[in-house]
Amino acid sequence: MKILIVLLSGLWVLTALGAEAPTRRPLDLPSGGARQSMQDQDEIVEIIHFYGHHYEADAFVFVIDRSGSMSTGGKWGTLLEEMVTAIQSLSSNAELGIVAFSTPIVPWNDQMVDSGPSARALAITFLSELQPMGATCISLGVNAGLQILRTSSKEIDSRRLILIGDGGQFCSGNNDAEMVVAEIVTGNWDMHRIDTIFLGNYTAGIDLFSAIAQENGGQMRIVQ
């Protein structure tokens, strides 16, 4: 009987201690850690390094100047190198589009393309076959790029158009900078982000590229 009483007393003590002990979690896995990890993976975006700056998006359209002036000062060769590096850094989850503008406008594809290995190789081949020539039709090139970007399956906030060029608009008599900006704003009715990169120090071109970025939610950078 004494033995039974001792055992019951010990069991009561252990139960009481267990009730008072704080609940602990493993130190290497916070509460909800697995679920949070999956959410973080869903939110990861593509990051490219382009002309010394990082750009984030899930869908990129590059609108590049291939007018005759791009053949001077090594600008065309540098542009191709930057484009190849950026394209090769994309994963297969990203979407890619390219438009080369002069006269005429030359798109790589008429819709966004998943940037798998074969698509990246085809895009680089497309670039290698281009040569600088013709006039500078910026608004036509940007609006062609916006039309392509509109085919993306990604959320609109994760799409990005990057405009690269070295001059102002000189295209079939339509050389008015304010008109160029107005045409792009009108064409960008769904407000995709447009970032601009200006190559050189041509003041009128810098002002134009700055206005295009400012009116379309983007940033403008100058590369000398």
Side-chain angles (χ1 to χ4, degrees):
M1 185 64 178
K2 291 183 179 180
I3 295 175
L4 179 58
I5 292 173
V6 170
L7 288 176
L8 289 175
S9 299
L11 180 59
W12 180 87
V13 170
L14 289 175
T15 303
L17 288 174
E20 293 174 0
T23 301
R24 298 185 180 184
R25 303 181 187 276
L27 295 179
D28 58 348
L29 181 62
S31 177
R35 180 177 299 177
Q36 183 65 41
S37 176
M38 291 298 293
Q39 291 175 348
D40 290 344
Q41 290 179 10
D42 292 339
E43 294 171 359
I44 291 174
V45 297
E46 301 287 324
I47 301 175
I48 62 169
H49 189 71
F50 194 57
Y51 279 101
H53 187 74
H54 287 92
Y55 294 89
E56 297 183 6
D58 290 319
F60 289 94
V61 168
F62 297 91
V63 177
I64 63 174
D65 186 353
R66 70 168 192 118
S67 63
S69 62
M70 286 291 292
S71 63
T72 64
K75 288 176 287 190
W76 183 250
T78 301
L79 172 60
L80 293 183
E81 291 174 3
E82 293 285 344
M83 288 290 297
V84 169
T85 300
I87 290 169
Q88 288 179 334
S89 69
L90 293 173
S91 77
S92 299
N93 295 323
E95 293 180 347
L96 173 64
I98 305 171
V99 175
F101 67 89
S102 63
T103 44
I105 305 299
V106 182
W108 170 49
N109 206 301
D110 60 0
Q111 59 185 1
M112 297 298 289
V113 177
D114 292 336
S115 59
S118 60
R120 295 196 296 268
L122 289 172
I124 291 170
T125 298
F126 165 79
L127 291 169
S128 71
E129 295 172 348
L130 296 174
Q131 294 295 328
M133 58 179 293
T136 310
C137 297
I138 297 172
S139 55
L140 290 177
V142 172
N143 279 318
L146 288 169
Q147 184 173 349
I148 292 168
L149 189 54
R150 211 163 277 130
T151 69
S152 172
S153 64
K154 307 296 185 181
E155 295 291 333
I156 195 166
D157 289 342
S158 62
R159 306 175 194 175
R160 196 169 205 148
L161 187 150
I162 304 178
L163 168 66
I164 311 101
D166 74 336
Q169 171 116 339
F170 297 97
C171 181
S172 303
N174 177 15
N175 304 332
D176 183 85
E178 291 185 2
M179 184 176 296
V180 171
V181 175
E183 289 175 350
I184 292 173
V185 169
T186 301
N188 192 19
W189 50 266
D190 41 0
M191 283 305 297
H192 285 94
R193 175 171 181 149
I194 300 178
D195 294 300
T196 62
I197 300 174
F198 191 82
L199 310 177
N201 54 15
Y202 177 53
T203 302
I206 291 173
D207 291 343
L208 174 58
F209 274 52
S210 178
I212 292 171
Q214 182 176 357
E215 294 295 326
N216 294 276
Q219 294 182 342
M220 184 266 196
R221 299 177 53 242
I222 302 173
V223 177
Q224 301 289 352

